[in-house]
Amino acid sequence: MAQLCTKKSLKSFFSITLIAAALGLTACSGAGDDPDIKARQDSMKSWGDAMGVMGDMVKAPDTFDAAVFKEQASFLAEDAANPWSHFENQEAMGNATEAVWSNADGFSAEADNFQKVTAELNAAAQSATSIEDVQPAFGEVGASCKSCHTEFRAKND
């Protein structure tokens, strides 16, 4: 069965790929010796790696491996709550913007949404037999990353 790629699906895929790459670069940005910055960047780098593995399957559906996708989605869902406590110290900004603390409710809502959408992706992945079974939920995870990074992650010059 041939899969048709629309301009919208290609645009979504490329957006998700860029988000995964941005997550991967998070760990490369001067964590210094601060354990909070390092801990959250390590988590988010791992998320970027997982999104990259799954994104490769979205890009090339014939490479879909349900077991690998399930493993990556499970990791994201299990790790989704880990880095948020490492944003308590405002002195440990790293790549975070001031908005993490000045708009704490908005930041908390983004963290909650990420945990929700990764749980939904994990649920979809558990019974997936094709990329079509997980693609919408995967897109939601990518959108969550992008949404949070738009306001709460400093732009790299």
Side-chain angles (χ1 to χ4, degrees):
M1 176 167 57
Q3 179 178 352
L4 295 175
C5 289
T6 65
K7 286 183 182 180
K8 183 177 179 181
S9 67
L10 285 175
K11 182 179 177 185
S12 297
F13 167 72
F14 288 119
S15 295
I16 291 166
T17 302
L18 287 173
I19 290 165
L23 280 171
L25 292 175
T26 302
C28 301
S29 56
D33 293 328
D34 190 286
D36 284 323
I37 295 172
K38 182 168 177 13
R40 66 190 190 221
Q41 288 181 349
D42 286 349
S43 274
M44 291 183 189
K45 181 188 181 314
S46 296
W47 295 351
D49 292 345
M51 289 293 287
V53 169
M54 292 182 287
D56 286 347
M57 290 184 221
V58 170
K59 180 180 176 182
D62 59 319
T63 66
F64 180 72
D65 182 326
V68 171
F69 201 100
K70 182 191 296 189
E71 177 184 347
Q72 298 303 310
S74 178
F75 161 74
L76 279 180
E78 290 169 10
D79 197 63
N82 287 339
W84 312 116
S85 65
H86 297 285
F87 283 95
E88 292 174 0
N89 178 5
Q90 188 170 354
E91 300 298 315
M93 286 190 68
N95 284 338
T97 65
E98 178 64 32
V100 168
W101 297 276
S102 65
N103 182 6
D105 290 342
F107 185 68
S108 179
E110 291 286 357
D112 291 346
N113 184 58
F114 182 76
Q115 292 171 72
K116 175 183 157 274
V117 297
T118 55
E120 290 169 354
L121 175 62
N122 186 39
Q126 297 311 304
S127 60
T129 59
S130 72
I131 199 66
E132 289 83 11
D133 296 333
V134 292
Q135 201 164 10
F138 179 78
E140 290 298 317
V141 173
S144 174
C145 295
K146 181 178 181 182
S147 176
C148 189
H149 281 193
T150 297
E151 182 173 357
F152 299 107
R153 184 171 188 269
K155 310 290 185 265
N156 290 334
D157 291 331

